[in-house]
Amino acid sequence: MKLEQLQKRIKGSRIYYGKHRGLRRLYFRYGRQGRGIKTSTWFEVINDRLEIRVKVENDRHPDYYDIELEHRYYSDLRKQFHELIHDCELERKKVPLHERLKDDIDPVYSPDTAVHQVQALRFMCTMKISALFADTGTMKTKMSLDLAESRYQAGQIRKVLVCCPVSIKKNFQDEITKWHPNAQWEYLIVGHESLSQSDKTYLKTLRWMDSETMVIVDESHFCKNPTAKRSKRILSLCEKTSYKVIMTGTPTENVRDIYMQFALLSPLITGCKSWIHFEEKYLIMGGYDGTEVIGYKNIDHLMGLIEPYTYQVKKEEVLDLPAKKEYALYCSLNADQRRRYEDTRQSLMDEIEKWEEMPAHIIFRHLTIMQQICCGFFKLPDGSREELGNPKLGKLEDIDYKEGQTIFFCKYLDEVSQLVNNLGPENCAVFTGENRKERDLEKHLFTTGIKKYFVSTMSTGGTGLNGLQQCSRLVFLSNSYKWRERKQCIGRIDRMGQEHRMEIWDIQTETGMEQRISNNIRRKGNLADEIRELLHYKTKLKKYVKGL
């Protein structure tokens, strides 16, 4: 049912058209007016649904809004207009979803925009919502900002909310300044972590949101967990507007990652009202307590549902980048490391013998300890650390790292400290979760050549960090279980603007633990998934652990 038809059924209502008719609302009279209180009530189509909106401005209230009165009015209106809204929903469902979510605005971009960016932008301008799965280095941030400018010029939005990891907030700010320095739209950049950890930040952002806001969820794979607080809160923000785009270079490791990312765009896409419904429809569950994914079903149907809203950009298809060569250096454990390593492995074997079916957290705890030992430290039961020495640092001399600049990635903070002490603190730009206030300055010191080495953890520096492509040498002192996290790290230099042949170095110990991680990376897999498959087979698990 159109707003024009609805207007005929509500006495005294009027339709408001925004700039270029990008905004359409049906206002009607309701609630208190005067004596410092102004009530606005209207109907609006948001997220392909007819929604009631209420705003009560109160100049006697501390923040000039009366939220309690708003909630009361909203509840009353929902009850009175229930049948009318139901009729509108029935009318709406007669049209296929991808037709209802279609859009038609002119793309706005600068003359120097790359061809693949223009193609992506044109696709996103044809839909109100979109999933941009673009490899690192293809400049997906610019594509999303050009989309925001296009929507603003079309009169659809006047604000932009960016949800991204805290570590790249400054980077996103720089990208806005670079590509749209004269942007007329208001914007707010909020960290994923801030939304989950701070109620104040979340409520402030929720109040800031409205239907004239476009939401950009960068690195959306961090919001794949439907039960996580950050995912739920970002979903509640997305529900306030019709214009949304999710972006990531690594969209999924398995089918279950799809649900929440596309729910941020619209829960109607997958046709599942809840995670449980999605699980029943597309996943085959099994294992000891029925919570393990052992297979998938209806995959072709699911891919067909998400295809109209998805645009993929593959680096090898759109960029002509210099070649990159990967090298590996090996070293042996020292005596202290070997003693701790063997003790931990034997402890894990003893645990396997005790359990009929091995709990996942026990094996992962032991494997983490074994990897940490390979990295030169051991956590004692009282929380302190025993420094074991790190032979990997001695292999740095086999790399010509002193010529030019070098980026180092580590999995653990302890490795960062070891490496910085080895290279000299005065030479190192440190970028971790421990120095949030200083790390933007540290990055600047590296990109301007004042410091020779960029040292970071994979989790902090591997995602969304731009401007490092003047460096062509990257060294991994350790690796994550997940191939995609390594891919993100390599993407810091393997991107547009890289002009030199790239060197990717791995320094690892000659242990089964790090060999397993290395093999997993070559298969582009997730070592944790491989191990979970062994948990229910004691013989295979024991053989696996003996080989570490």
Side-chain angles (χ1 to χ4, degrees):
M1 183 179 294
K2 297 180 180 179
L3 292 182
E4 287 81 3
Q5 295 173 295
L6 192 59
Q7 183 182 20
K8 297 176 182 178
R9 299 175 62 171
I10 304 176
K11 185 177 180 181
S13 60
R14 59 184 178 83
I15 296 180
Y16 169 77
Y17 297 99
K19 179 184 177 184
H20 305 312
R21 295 201 174 190
L23 174 70
R24 299 171 70 247
R25 291 174 176 170
L26 178 65
Y27 282 92
F28 57 94
R29 295 192 303 272
Y30 193 86
R32 295 177 60 184
Q33 303 287 348
R35 294 190 178 183
I37 296 178
K38 178 184 177 183
T39 302
S40 300
T41 53
W42 68 92
F43 278 104
E44 187 173 359
V45 178
I46 302 174
N47 289 317
D48 189 43
R49 290 180 176 175
L50 185 66
E51 299 282 1
I52 296 174
R53 287 291 180 257
V54 180
K55 182 168 71 172
V56 179
E57 298 171 275
N58 187 346
D59 60 13
R60 292 173 291 183
H61 199 273
D63 60 0
Y64 297 101
Y65 291 96
D66 195 325
I67 299 176
E68 183 179 345
L69 193 56
E70 281 184 6
H71 289 169
R72 180 156 63 85
Y73 284 166
Y74 176 80
S75 179
D76 292 344
L77 287 169
R78 287 286 301 183
K79 292 177 182 178
Q80 294 192 65
F81 284 102
H82 173 75
E83 286 79 11
L84 191 149
I85 294 174
H86 178 69
D87 291 344
C88 292
E89 286 293 292
L90 291 178
E91 191 74 20
R92 175 186 63 83
K93 290 179 180 179
K94 294 179 181 179
V95 181
L97 179 64
H98 67 276
E99 292 290 336
R100 304 197 301 266
L101 294 179
K102 274 189 175 181
D103 203 359
D104 184 19
I105 60 172
D106 294 328
V108 177
Y109 52 88
S110 56
D112 58 344
T113 304
V115 173
H116 73 273
Q117 296 167 1
V118 174
Q119 292 172 340
L121 178 61
R122 286 176 175 168
F123 172 85
M124 291 188 290
C125 285
T126 65
M127 302 299 297
K128 294 177 182 177
I129 59 175
S130 51
L132 178 59
F133 296 151
D135 282 345
T136 55
T138 55
M139 299 179 68
K140 60 182 179 292
T141 301
K142 182 182 186 302
M143 303 179 210
S144 66
L145 295 176
D146 286 347
L147 177 62
E149 181 65 23
S150 302
R151 294 205 182 285
Y152 177 80
Q153 294 293 342
Q156 292 179 331
I157 66 167
R158 57 185 180 86
K159 297 194 290 188
V160 177
L161 172 67
V162 178
C163 299
C164 64
V166 169
S167 60
I168 63 173
K169 284 178 62 177
K170 178 64 166 54
N171 175 72
F172 224 108
Q173 173 67 65
D174 293 341
E175 291 290 292
I176 293 175
T177 303
K178 177 180 180 181
W179 299 113
H180 293 279
N182 301 314
Q184 299 294 305
W185 30 270
E186 182 183 354
Y187 64 88
L188 177 64
I189 305 175
V190 184
H192 292 163
E193 302 91 329
S194 302
L195 287 171
S196 61
Q197 296 169 8
S198 171
D199 293 344
K200 181 178 180 181
T201 298
Y202 167 64
L203 293 173
K204 180 180 179 182
T205 307
L206 193 65
R207 169 59 67 176
W208 188 83
M209 279 290 301
D210 60 27
S211 61
E212 295 178 88
T213 304
M214 173 177 145
V215 177
I216 300 173
V217 183
D218 196 12
E219 306 301 343
S220 60
H221 60 277
F222 285 122
C223 307
K224 66 183 181 181
N225 185 350
T227 63
K229 183 184 287 187
R230 81 170 58 166
S231 302
K232 293 178 179 178
R233 289 187 166 182
I234 292 176
L235 176 61
S236 68
L237 295 171
C238 289
E239 288 174 343
K240 289 203 168 257
T241 183
S242 299
Y243 304 108
K244 292 157 285 192
V245 56
I246 59 172
M247 307 190 303
T248 179
T250 52
T252 177
E253 287 183 339
N254 50 58
V255 173
R256 69 190 310 167
D257 295 348
I258 290 176
Y259 171 73
M260 195 62 193
Q261 294 187 73
F262 278 88
L264 297 178
L265 297 178
S266 172
L268 302 174
I269 294 176
T270 61
C272 300
K273 297 180 180 179
S274 67
W275 162 246
I276 295 176
H277 186 195
F278 182 89
E279 185 179 272
E280 293 173 347
K281 193 171 182 179
Y282 299 110
L283 306 181
I284 301 173
M285 308 301 293
Y288 180 72
D289 54 359
T291 59
E292 181 183 342
V293 179
I294 62 173
Y296 306 103
K297 55 188 177 182
N298 303 321
I299 296 302
D300 290 342
H301 175 69
L302 177 61
M303 294 301 107
L305 293 177
I306 67 175
E307 188 270 337
Y309 317 100
T310 306
Y311 193 88
Q312 191 166 14
V313 181
K314 295 184 177 180
K315 185 185 303 184
E316 62 271 16
E317 296 177 356
V318 301
L319 300 181
D320 184 17
L321 293 170
K324 59 178 182 288
K325 181 71 174 177
E326 299 194 19
Y327 306 88
L329 295 172
Y330 300 92
C331 63
S332 300
L333 298 178
N334 62 32
D336 290 337
Q337 285 177 300
R338 176 58 61 186
R339 173 177 54 83
R340 286 294 191 186
Y341 188 90
E342 294 297 343
D343 288 347
T344 305
R345 182 170 60 176
Q346 185 57 50
S347 173
L348 179 54
M349 291 294 294
D350 295 341
E351 289 286 350
I352 294 174
E353 291 293 344
K354 286 166 48 179
W355 293 89
E356 181 65 28
E357 186 163 331
M358 186 73 174
H361 72 276
I362 293 179
I363 187 169
F364 284 120
R365 183 177 72 236
H366 281 77
L367 295 180
T368 297
I369 293 172
M370 292 171 73
Q371 187 182 19
Q372 290 173 344
I373 292 169
C374 294
C375 297
F377 66 97
F378 179 78
K379 290 186 178 181
L380 297 168
D382 62 1
S384 61
R385 286 172 171 76
E386 177 186 344
E387 296 299 330
L388 303 174
N390 193 346
K392 293 181 182 181
L393 299 177
K395 302 300 290 186
L396 290 176
E397 296 303 323
D398 295 343
I399 303 173
D400 197 16
Y401 72 95
K402 294 182 181 179
E403 291 296 323
Q405 292 182 299
T406 304
I407 297 173
F408 293 89
F409 278 113
C410 309
K411 184 175 179 180
Y412 301 104
L413 285 169
D414 294 77
E415 291 179 281
V416 171
S417 300
Q418 296 169 1
L419 187 58
V420 169
N421 290 333
N422 183 271
L423 299 174
E426 69 281 1
N427 300 318
C428 298
V430 181
F431 197 95
T432 71
E434 298 290 297
N435 67 333
R436 291 182 177 180
K437 293 183 178 179
E438 299 84 25
R439 62 191 183 192
D440 289 329
L441 174 60
E442 293 286 288
K443 177 193 169 187
H444 174 75
L445 294 174
F446 179 75
T447 55
T448 54
I450 297 175
K451 292 192 174 183
K452 291 189 64 175
Y453 310 121
F454 185 86
V455 184
S456 176
T457 53
M458 296 180 69
S459 59
T460 302
T463 302
L465 199 59
N466 298 343
L468 303 181
Q469 58 266 36
Q470 86 275 6
C471 178
S472 58
R473 187 186 303 113
L474 191 154
V475 179
F476 287 97
L477 224 62
S478 58
N479 267 287
S480 163
Y481 289 176
K482 299 178 181 179
W483 165 77
R484 74 176 186 182
E485 291 186 1
R486 176 186 172 89
K487 177 186 175 185
Q488 288 272 14
C489 291
I490 295 175
R492 299 314 103 208
I493 64 173
D494 188 22
R495 60 193 307 116
M496 288 183 69
Q498 179 59 259
E499 299 177 352
H500 304 286
R501 182 176 180 272
M502 292 167 277
E503 299 176 12
I504 314 297
W505 291 84
D506 281 281
I507 304 179
Q508 53 190 274
T509 59
E510 295 173 330
T511 60
M513 182 69 229
E514 294 209 309
Q515 187 60 47
R516 291 285 187 180
I517 295 174
S518 179
N519 291 341
N520 173 71
I521 289 170
R522 280 196 292 271
R523 293 195 305 270
K524 300 182 179 180
N526 183 339
L527 187 64
D529 291 338
E530 176 184 323
I531 294 169
R532 286 191 184 97
E533 291 180 5
L534 299 172
L535 291 179
H536 312 303
Y537 307 97
K538 182 178 284 192
T539 302
K540 290 183 179 180
L541 183 59
K542 288 169 64 176
K543 183 178 180 180
Y544 184 93
V545 174
K546 285 180 180 179
L548 293 178

